[in-house]
Amino acid sequence: MTTKTIDPEWVLQAVDAVQPIMEQASDKLWQLAEVSLEEVKSAEYLLALLQDQGFKIISTGTAGIPTAFVAEWGTGEPKLGILLEYDALPGLGNEAVSCKQARKDGTTSGHGCGHNLIGSAALGAALALKKTMTEQGISGTIRLYGCASEETEGAKVYMAREKLFDDLDAVLHCHPFEHAIVGNLRTNATNGIRVEFLGTTAHAGMTPWLGRSSVHAAELFAHSVNLMREHLEPTARMHYVYESAGLAPNVVPDYAKMWMTIRDIDRTRVNATTEWVRQAAEGAAMATQTKSNFILYFGMYDLLPNTPLAQRMQTYLEQLGAPAWTEAEQTFARELQTNLGLEPKGMPTTIVPLQNEPALGGSTDVGDISWNVPTMGIGMPSVPIGIGMHTWAATATHGMSIGRKAAAGMAKVLAATGMDILTDSDFRQAAKADFERRTAGKPYVSPLPEDRKQPFGMPEWMTTDACREMFSGVKGDS
């Protein structure tokens, strides 16, 4: 196997060269702050930008998700995939200031998880790779995936079902974090469930015997779920909310609805628990003489690490180090911490040693990709120490220079690692061998129900001709 040696400094300089484009993209996505499944303007902006940069749009409305897309540059082997995200969160809108302050333009959503930085960092890495490949005469293909709706029903799962990653040598991704860290970790597999109970209305005071309460069925179902917990393995997690539970106490309610998430360390365990929960719903309906409607609408795989990719990414992270913060940025961070009642430690300045695949309780739709192709991610500090994602404070830092520096750092690690994937055949083979060892005898089977063509929560207006016309200027094959 042959290897073409490329000085990593060339790639890092290429990231610096495209940084103005990255910063523009980060600021634009932050300003738009469109929530999951509604990222029309964000997707439209990224598609136009990629076309301007010479990328071919392979598809729009990818895998049934109107705001998902695939773009590509280059030809032939090897093939590298990079993931973009761009959806925001409801209720986290904030000005880019060190105190809680609503946006002046009235936007109430915000990038509290930093997906504006994911989108710009992935974009920057791809543009830097394109620039270096052109200048150094390197062959291969860069494929960018517009991964819409990560915060709800991620497009990555729908893309994986369509086998859109199967011809790649590797996939790289990134995520803002509290520390500089390689994502050599595991997350939980999960299923998303809605359970409806249908009863019969009646006057609750005069003739309650004529009614059958859907709320009683929901309560009994919840009680059954809670009794299950004693008999599940310690890795299992089940959590739920009542989405609908009657409208007035003097009317026997004929409709109730619950939203539930089931998590565990792998698909086998999640599927087994899901079947038990389905039986609990049927039993609750039988006991209350109501009817149940069990809707398994979404699921995700656990995240599969890859040792060679993680080790190479760690090498570049250690060479780069954490972002160099200015005193003004550290002051901003300390003010945020003080306003939240935290010790004013500022921004982190060190990197985290390579982790030995710790398990986290959360879930990610990157997991489905990791069961189809070698996959690894990088995290860079975008929030002050002690401040987590999904907060207004995170939205604030993701809209100013702290966030932009995190994006630049992620782009450099992605680009340097990506160049090695494109030029080092031994490295590619090592990543593939690790992937095949971990997945041996465990083929990927999509967690999505066969009849689920689009996300359960897709707004109706997103499926209209008017919405599709928003992308009419983009030339793709979809």
Side-chain angles (χ1 to χ4, degrees):
M1 294 185 178
T2 59
T3 296
K4 182 172 182 177
T5 302
I6 298 295
D7 186 346
E9 192 60 32
W10 291 342
V11 186
L12 302 183
Q13 290 176 1
V15 175
D16 290 335
V18 301
Q19 188 160 340
I21 300 175
M22 292 171 52
E23 293 185 352
Q24 177 195 52
S26 176
D27 291 350
K28 181 66 174 180
L29 295 173
W30 187 90
Q31 180 209 14
L32 290 172
E34 295 175 295
V35 297
S36 288
L37 300 172
E38 300 181 17
E39 320 97 314
V40 174
K41 294 180 180 178
S42 299
E44 191 177 39
Y45 168 78
L46 290 169
L47 285 164
L49 180 55
L50 286 167
Q51 282 188 310
D52 288 343
Q53 294 298 318
F55 278 73
K56 178 183 179 182
I57 307 305
I58 303 302
S59 78
T60 58
T62 307
I65 313 296
T67 51
F69 63 85
V70 181
E72 194 172 89
W73 181 87
T75 58
E77 307 288 342
K79 293 182 179 180
L80 171 67
I82 304 177
L83 309 181
L84 294 93
E85 295 175 11
Y86 34 92
D87 58 322
L89 288 159
L92 294 183
N94 206 82
E95 289 289 337
V97 295
S98 59
C99 60
K100 187 171 175 55
Q101 181 176 313
R103 279 179 51 163
K104 295 181 177 65
D105 62 7
T107 301
T108 58
S109 53
H111 277 287
C113 205
H115 291 191
N116 63 311
L117 308 181
I118 297 175
S120 61
L123 173 69
L127 295 181
L129 286 169
K130 172 180 175 285
K131 177 178 173 61
T132 305
M133 293 169 71
T134 301
E135 294 173 350
Q136 303 299 324
I138 299 167
S139 61
T141 302
I142 305 168
R143 190 178 298 157
L144 284 171
Y145 293 83
C147 301
S149 65
E150 190 277 339
E151 296 289 0
T152 53
E153 300 169 60
K156 302 182 192 72
V157 182
Y158 286 83
M159 292 176 172
R161 183 171 64 177
E162 299 296 323
K163 303 185 182 300
L164 299 187
F165 306 98
D166 288 13
D167 64 333
L168 299 175
D169 290 283
V171 165
L172 300 179
H173 63 101
C174 62
H175 204 291
F177 199 58
E178 185 183 346
H179 301 287
I181 186 171
V182 170
N184 193 42
L185 49 84
R186 295 176 178 273
T187 59
N188 277 340
T190 182
N191 273 345
I193 295 162
R194 252 65 177 220
V195 183
E196 296 176 314
F197 291 99
L198 309 175
T200 305
T201 58
H203 193 298
M206 298 183 66
T207 55
W209 53 87
L210 297 179
R212 295 295 182 267
S213 173
S214 59
V215 171
H216 289 168
E219 290 175 323
L220 186 56
F221 169 67
H223 184 58
S224 300
V225 166
N226 290 324
L227 292 179
M228 286 171 57
R229 297 182 193 276
E230 179 183 358
H231 307 290
L232 296 176
E233 295 183 59
T235 53
R237 298 288 185 272
M238 298 189 296
H239 26 281
Y240 59 82
V241 294
Y242 293 89
E243 290 190 285
S244 179
L247 299 174
N250 62 342
V251 177
V252 175
D254 64 349
Y255 182 77
K257 185 178 181 182
M258 296 179 67
W259 181 6
M260 184 175 183
T261 300
I262 298 172
R263 305 180 198 260
D264 214 320
I265 57 175
D266 57 38
R267 290 301 312 167
T268 300
R269 288 175 171 82
V270 165
N271 288 339
T273 302
T274 300
E275 182 55 32
W276 193 354
V277 169
R278 184 194 301 273
Q279 294 170 5
E282 293 173 350
M286 290 177 62
T288 55
Q289 293 188 340
T290 60
K291 295 181 180 179
S292 65
N293 184 20
F294 190 90
I295 306 167
L296 172 59
Y297 70 91
F298 190 64
M300 293 184 286
Y301 264 69
D302 47 300
L303 182 64
L304 201 64
N306 187 282
T307 299
L309 291 179
Q311 291 174 342
R312 187 65 58 93
M313 198 171 270
Q314 183 73 23
T315 297
Y316 287 121
L317 176 60
E318 291 176 359
Q319 290 177 8
L320 286 167
W325 311 112
T326 65
E327 183 53 39
E329 289 164 343
Q330 288 287 17
T331 298
F332 184 96
R334 289 190 289 267
E335 288 174 353
L336 263 179
Q337 290 162 327
T338 299
N339 289 334
L340 289 170
L342 301 172
E343 185 178 352
K345 295 182 178 180
M347 296 296 298
T349 57
T350 59
I351 67 169
V352 177
L354 185 62
Q355 299 297 288
N356 187 25
E357 303 182 10
L360 301 183
S363 307
T364 173
D365 58 354
V366 178
D368 286 71
I369 298 175
S370 73
W371 278 84
N372 285 273
V373 61
T375 303
M376 187 49 59
I378 182 67
M380 278 286 176
S382 65
V383 291
I385 297 169
I387 292 178
M389 299 293 144
H390 293 214
T391 63
W392 66 262
T395 298
T397 59
H398 295 158
M400 45 87 69
S401 60
I402 288 176
R404 297 186 201 108
K405 283 187 176 179
M410 293 189 294
K412 288 183 175 181
V413 176
L414 290 177
T417 308
M419 183 55 66
D420 285 355
I421 292 168
L422 291 166
T423 58
D424 188 339
S425 58
D426 290 337
F427 179 41
R428 291 196 301 272
Q429 184 55 44
K432 181 180 179 181
D434 186 90
F435 169 78
E436 291 178 343
R437 174 183 61 82
R438 293 174 186 268
T439 59
K442 296 177 284 187
Y444 175 79
V445 178
S446 176
L448 295 171
E450 290 186 8
D451 61 351
R452 175 60 56 194
K453 304 304 180 185
Q454 290 187 316
F456 183 86
M458 178 74 70
E460 186 175 347
W461 67 267
M462 285 291 294
T463 63
T464 63
D465 290 339
C467 178
R468 285 188 285 270
E469 286 174 4
M470 294 181 186
F471 299 102
S472 60
V474 177
K475 304 301 182 183
D477 299 330
S478 61

